[in-house]
Amino acid sequence: PSAGLPSSSEILRRIEISGVFGMGGAAFPAAEKIKAVMESKSRDKHLIVNAVECDPGLLHDKWLLINRGDEIMRGIEILASCIPFKTVTVAAKNPVGFHLPETVKLHQVRDYYPAGAEKLLVREVVGDAPAECVPAEAGILVLNVQTVYTISKAVLSHRAADRRFITVADLDRRIGRAVRVRLGDGVYETARKILPVAVNVYTGGGIMNACLADDGAVIGEKTNFLAVGRITAFREALCSQCNFCSAYCPVTLHVREIAHYIDDNKQDKAALLHPENCLECGLCSAICPAGRDQARRVKTAKKHIANANTIC
């Protein structure tokens, strides 16, 4: 192990005990992902710290880079003591206001949506990664920047991962701020501490997939965003067959066809078009000229496959 750090096995144990999870939205146990990279047969291994903030409504990842840079670098050092990475890269859209040591590469991602999706980011940063392989199995460790920050706290201070930073926004005034919250706290209670005008509160992984919170909703591992204000409702007009939803899909799904089959209650036919590859970015709904919630339909098809596999 590196000087002053525990052994790899002890580092993994502390990460696991602290309950560190993927804070970009997946909430996958961080220790399991790290173990998969350690066990990978890949000769060259890479670390990508994802600070891209895929969703346009988020700002807390950049806040962390600027205000918690030392802890993030310590987290990178901890991970590098467990895995001999060939490259270590921090990926961000607007790398202004923070500095990295020479041993860490900075990759500026173009400002498009959904730039921060894991496989898209791996393809852009590493390039020759196998397209169909799970990145961790190919020796590529992709962790959200807040996950890396939390790893440093778990390993060095034995701190449980029961708090996290999220973005809290007022959509009408177009302002937002990074706020540290506790998992399990009430959504409405939290929002009103920061925005006293909060009546209806939207929550989710970001503005692209936020929904109106129930009265009893709490902040969970996948919560990245709280907002008050107006979110445009879907009009659900008739499909004009413009095919924008398919053309703009980052994983080239036949979105319009999937949605058509779901509307006709033909889930088995929709399943043949591989909705399981959907990133759930919501872009197909956002760009639909008819205001149709295509993302909901694809998600329904994706869920149908998951349920069928569970039954089998």
Side-chain angles (χ1 to χ4, degrees):
S2 299
L5 292 177
S7 65
S8 296
S9 59
E10 177 61 16
I11 286 172
L12 283 173
R13 190 186 74 84
R14 293 184 189 183
I15 292 171
E16 197 164 6
I17 288 176
S18 295
V20 182
F21 58 91
M23 293 182 168
F28 193 81
E32 291 186 24
K33 201 170 190 181
I34 296 166
K35 284 178 189 175
V37 175
M38 293 175 72
E39 295 168 0
S40 169
K41 304 300 182 184
S42 177
R43 184 182 63 182
D44 295 329
K45 298 185 178 182
H46 306 270
L47 170 62
I48 301 175
V49 180
N50 187 350
V52 173
E53 289 183 319
C54 179
D55 193 288
L58 303 179
L59 52 77
H60 57 272
D61 281 357
K62 184 176 180 181
W63 185 93
L64 279 166
L65 275 177
I66 294 172
N67 294 280
R68 297 291 186 271
D70 289 345
E71 293 95 328
I72 292 164
M73 291 305 117
R74 193 63 168 150
I76 290 174
E77 182 184 345
I78 289 166
L79 293 166
S81 76
C82 297
I83 303 169
F85 296 114
K86 180 180 180 181
T87 64
V88 176
T89 304
V90 173
K93 284 181 183 174
N94 184 22
V96 175
F98 58 91
H99 303 280
L100 302 174
E102 292 183 1
T103 54
V104 179
K105 297 180 179 180
L106 176 62
H107 183 87
Q108 184 169 2
V109 176
R110 290 181 297 111
D111 192 1
Y112 71 94
Y113 181 78
E118 183 170 275
K119 288 192 175 181
L120 298 182
L121 189 59
V122 166
R123 192 185 311 159
E124 184 170 339
V125 174
V126 180
D128 58 352
E132 300 303 320
C133 186
V134 175
E137 294 175 357
I140 304 167
L141 179 60
V142 184
L143 293 175
N144 175 262
V145 64
Q146 185 169 185
T147 307
V148 176
Y149 166 81
T150 307
I151 284 172
S152 72
K153 294 298 183 183
V155 173
L156 301 177
S157 304
H158 302 274
R159 184 182 295 176
D162 58 355
R163 294 175 182 266
R164 59 164 305 150
F165 288 92
I166 65 171
T167 298
V168 179
D170 183 327
L171 300 177
D172 293 336
R173 297 169 60 198
R174 301 179 68 85
I175 58 172
R177 57 183 284 198
V179 178
R180 190 164 180 252
V181 297
R182 185 190 296 273
L183 299 182
D185 281 353
V187 164
Y188 280 87
E189 176 189 2
T190 301
R192 285 168 183 157
K193 286 179 181 177
I194 302 142
L195 300 168
V197 297
V199 177
N200 292 327
V201 180
Y202 295 88
T203 185
I207 196 170
M208 295 295 287
N209 60 16
C211 60
L212 186 64
D214 296 330
D215 290 341
V218 298
I219 293 169
E221 293 178 342
K222 295 185 178 183
T223 305
N224 271 293
F225 183 73
L226 296 185
V228 299
R230 288 167 292 181
I231 291 183
T232 303
F234 293 106
R235 302 195 311 274
E236 290 291 348
L238 290 175
C239 176
S240 64
Q241 300 188 27
C242 68
N243 220 35
F244 277 12
C245 54
S246 300
Y248 283 87
C249 177
V251 290
T252 65
L253 289 180
H254 297 290
V255 177
R256 182 172 64 82
E257 290 87 344
I258 293 171
H260 173 73
Y261 284 133
I262 292 299
D263 285 345
D264 285 352
N265 201 28
K266 296 178 180 177
Q267 287 89 344
D268 290 336
K269 285 192 174 182
L272 296 175
L273 297 174
H274 301 290
E276 70 276 9
N277 293 330
C278 174
L279 300 176
E280 298 188 24
C281 66
L283 184 58
C284 53
S285 294
I287 57 90
C288 177
R292 294 170 61 80
D293 191 359
Q294 302 292 66
R296 175 184 59 79
R297 293 170 168 87
V298 177
K299 192 173 181 178
T300 298
K302 186 177 181 179
K303 189 178 294 185
H304 173 74
I305 292 177
N307 291 341
N309 291 338
T310 300
I311 292 172
C312 293

